[in-house]
Amino acid sequence: MTLDSGGNFAIHFYLGDPTHQRQLQQMVTSPEDTQREEASSEPPKDAPGEPQRSSWEKKVIRCRFWLRRLIGRFKKKNKVGSCDFEPGSTTGAVVLSPRKAGPKLFKMTNRVSPQPSSQAEPETSSVHPVPTSTRSNCSVPEVPTTSRSSCRVPEVPTSSSSVLQHIIEPNILPRQRLDLVHCGLPNGGNTCYQNSCLQMLRSAEPFIRTLSSQEDIFWNCEEAELMRLIHAIAEAPYNPGHYNMHELLALFRQTVALSAPEFGGYQQQDAHEFLMALMLQIQSLSFILEVFASSLEVTYVCPVKRHIMFKMENIRICRRYVLLTKDFTVLSLDLFPRSSIANLLNHQLMETELEYNCECGGGVSSQTTAFHTLPNFFIVHLKRFTFDSQYRLQKLKYPVQLDRNIVLRSGQESQSFKLVNIISHLGTSANHGHYISDGVDLEDRSSGDGWLTYNDNKVTRSTGNDICCNRMSTAYILMYQRERV
């Protein structure tokens, strides 16, 4: 039994000689006895007066009967469009061509088939992004270089057909309690930036819930490969041993690289730029999935737009009043010595004077930045990488007080946010280092301040107070969650 890249589901038989192939082909594709077989609960028997069938023919008839019942069930669920027979030299196959793949029909697994067969651009931006080519990560300060360089780079699957092989029934995998051994993500070769970003999104539980609640849509939509992979990665800790994580993460990176080629290889990359590219691609799938969902008479909600995206407004006043709004998923903040997150935010939002010749005739104006809308998850990027006077990239090691709670205001609304995840860049240089992620332990029911540190596939327990004290000089990206999301 195999599944090819087109979704065709084939049942293979050993036939032995061409005579048997012709007999099975005729019996599978013949319309005779179809109505009688569908109405009966048992395979057809020899009718009086008909020639006696051989034992082999009886086996084939029984096989055809159960196949027709299986095909009938799939057709009732609108999942099979046609049934064909494909002969081979010593084998034959009954091929079921799907009309539409059923929800949760295909799942990621490390099992390999014995006979494998032969993306509307959204309005988002960040504040002053740093060039990709100059920043990098992934040599661990605490770990010897030899252990990092000797990491075996897994073979990247050429398509999802080599990973999406195993057919299971919905809900066959019960959700288990998290074990730290299964919460980490293996490093596939300079991929700690990717692992840290994925762990950050895993910490955004409402984001994952919105994604998972719509799996019937993206598991049916061929173009939504990225969504299927994110969903599988999010579910992996609850289904240990069901996924080959090296293949899954390699395919995920390859899928992201289709629109962002810089992430396709094993070069060191920047976590902020990867996170921005990932969210941009999730948003770019919104139009396709909305159209596809409408054909199923349901509604698709983009998890990025629902939980992470927010609007900022720039108000410029000279001889006239100008209001401009812009979509953001991450807010980048300038870094200053002896600051806190709240101070950096206030500096970003303070009123500034602009000296320029406006088209209205004014030479001086003031500009104020404010939140137009508030997200459920507020992501902050600290600009730790900058250029010195000689245009050399350097890393700013200023310690920043990591406020556990902040308050954001939009118009007359004030909302409290709590810190739930931190991505840190370890290392003193801007040209190399290592990314780790610290996130709230979503299953902590005792202390209430339990956090987990994700260092690739190594996961350890900690507390929020310890994390905020130890990451003051290394924190790079922070995620705050709106209270009572």
Side-chain angles (χ1 to χ4, degrees):
M1 187 178 296
T2 60
L3 177 73
D4 66 17
S5 59
N8 297 316
F9 163 38
I11 305 173
H12 298 268
F13 301 91
Y14 179 79
L15 299 175
D17 62 61
T19 302
H20 292 166
Q21 292 186 19
R22 288 193 297 271
Q23 290 175 340
L24 183 60
Q25 179 176 7
Q26 181 180 4
M27 291 181 177
V28 170
T29 58
S30 172
E32 297 176 4
D33 298 331
T34 300
Q35 295 180 351
R36 183 174 63 180
E37 287 177 5
E38 290 180 350
S40 173
S41 60
E42 296 292 334
K45 300 179 180 179
D46 293 339
E50 290 184 353
Q52 189 72 20
R53 294 184 172 97
S54 66
S55 60
W56 188 90
E57 289 176 322
K58 291 180 181 179
K59 291 179 181 178
V60 172
I61 290 174
R62 285 197 295 271
C63 177
R64 184 188 72 171
F65 171 79
W66 293 114
L67 276 174
R68 284 192 180 277
R69 288 180 64 82
L70 174 65
I71 295 166
R73 290 185 179 184
F74 273 81
K75 283 186 174 180
K76 285 181 181 179
K77 295 182 180 181
N78 201 34
K79 295 172 184 172
V80 173
S82 64
C83 174
D84 259 323
F85 178 83
E86 290 184 358
S89 57
T90 60
T91 61
V94 178
V95 181
L96 311 182
S97 300
R99 182 178 293 116
K100 281 191 296 188
K104 297 185 73 172
L105 182 63
F106 309 118
K107 280 286 187 179
M108 301 288 182
T109 181
N110 57 354
R111 294 180 56 181
V112 179
S113 168
Q115 296 184 6
S117 306
S118 30
Q119 320 164 317
E121 186 173 344
E123 299 178 359
T124 61
S125 87
S126 66
V127 180
H128 306 301
V130 184
T132 305
S133 59
T134 55
R135 257 180 302 137
S136 52
N137 66 329
C138 210
S139 76
V140 188
E142 298 85 2
V143 181
T145 307
T146 53
S147 64
R148 179 70 53 184
S149 60
S150 60
C151 176
R152 183 181 66 85
V153 177
E155 182 179 352
V156 181
T158 57
S159 70
S160 62
S161 61
S162 61
V163 181
L164 298 173
Q165 290 286 344
H166 188 36
I167 300 179
I168 66 171
E169 293 295 328
N171 303 322
I172 197 171
L173 297 173
R175 200 173 183 87
Q176 304 176 16
R177 181 173 174 81
L178 277 176
D179 187 335
L180 295 190
V181 175
H182 308 297
C183 292
L185 297 175
N187 193 314
N190 290 337
T191 59
C192 57
Y193 66 92
Q194 170 188 278
N195 294 345
S196 299
C197 292
L198 288 172
Q199 296 290 10
M200 172 171 277
L201 293 181
R202 275 181 174 179
S203 298
E205 195 172 25
F207 176 92
I208 297 299
R209 282 203 305 266
T210 299
L211 178 73
S212 300
S213 66
Q214 304 180 96
E215 57 183 318
D216 287 356
I217 300 175
F218 57 74
W219 276 97
N220 279 300
C221 182
E222 182 180 355
E223 293 84 358
E225 178 80 336
L226 179 65
M227 307 300 289
R228 291 190 288 271
L229 290 166
I230 296 174
H231 178 254
I233 293 170
E235 289 292 316
Y238 299 96
N239 301 297
H242 185 67
Y243 301 92
N244 184 323
M245 293 307 297
H246 277 288
E247 288 188 5
L248 188 61
L249 292 171
L251 182 58
F252 169 76
R253 188 176 65 257
Q254 184 187 49
T255 304
V256 173
L258 294 177
S259 298
E262 63 270 23
F263 301 111
Y266 297 94
Q267 296 82 12
Q268 302 179 39
Q269 300 291 345
D270 178 71
H272 169 241
E273 290 167 357
F274 180 80
L275 183 62
M276 293 291 295
L278 177 59
M279 290 192 289
L280 183 64
Q281 291 188 34
I282 294 175
Q283 294 172 71
S284 69
L285 291 170
S286 294
F287 178 76
I288 296 173
L289 289 171
E290 286 170 3
V291 172
F292 185 82
S294 64
S295 68
L296 303 177
E297 299 182 349
V298 294
T299 303
Y300 172 75
V301 177
C302 175
V304 170
K305 294 181 180 179
R306 173 74 176 271
H307 295 289
I308 298 178
M309 182 178 289
F310 59 96
K311 290 183 180 293
M312 298 289 291
E313 59 184 30
N314 288 328
I315 304 172
R316 191 173 70 238
I317 301 175
C318 46
R319 292 184 178 179
R320 60 179 181 176
Y321 178 92
V322 180
L323 173 63
L324 301 175
T325 61
K326 193 174 183 180
D327 290 333
F328 286 80
T329 52
V330 178
L331 185 63
S332 295
L333 302 178
D334 293 318
L335 207 55
F336 302 100
R338 297 179 296 278
S339 296
S340 65
I341 298 298
N343 290 338
L344 297 178
L345 275 170
N346 290 334
H347 182 270
Q348 180 75 20
L349 302 177
M350 68 183 299
E351 181 178 341
T352 57
E353 287 191 359
L354 304 176
E355 294 185 10
Y356 75 106
N357 294 322
C358 180
E359 58 186 16
C360 69
V364 178
S365 65
S366 63
Q367 177 175 283
T368 303
T369 303
F371 288 95
H372 187 73
T373 60
L374 296 177
N376 290 332
F377 290 93
F378 178 53
I379 302 179
V380 176
H381 162 233
L382 303 181
K383 298 181 183 178
R384 286 203 176 273
F385 302 99
T386 185
F387 291 95
D388 61 15
S389 58
Q390 298 181 353
Y391 302 102
R392 294 175 301 190
L393 192 67
Q394 63 177 356
K395 179 180 178 180
L396 301 179
K397 309 178 189 64
Y398 302 146
V400 177
Q401 179 182 324
L402 305 180
D403 299 319
R404 299 289 299 274
N405 296 90
I406 59 174
V407 176
L408 302 182
R409 294 177 176 82
S410 173
Q412 301 300 318
E413 176 189 7
S414 295
Q415 185 63 55
S416 176
F417 286 76
K418 62 179 180 180
L419 183 64
V420 293
N421 194 278
I422 303 170
I423 293 178
S424 298
H425 181 268
L426 307 183
T428 59
S429 172
N431 297 314
H432 59 79
H434 180 61
Y435 285 107
I436 63 172
S437 174
D438 300 286
V440 170
D441 184 358
L442 300 176
E443 297 197 350
D444 178 43
R445 300 291 183 270
S446 55
S447 67
D449 193 34
W451 278 53
L452 299 175
T453 297
Y454 304 94
N455 187 348
D456 289 332
N457 57 357
K458 182 181 178 182
V459 183
T460 56
R461 296 189 184 278
S462 185
T463 65
N465 286 333
D466 290 342
I467 293 297
C468 289
C469 290
N470 297 332
R471 306 291 185 244
M472 293 178 63
S473 299
T474 59
Y476 186 46
I477 305 173
L478 299 90
M479 183 168 70
Y480 286 86
Q481 179 178 357
R482 183 199 290 247
E483 298 278 12
R484 299 180 299 278
V485 173

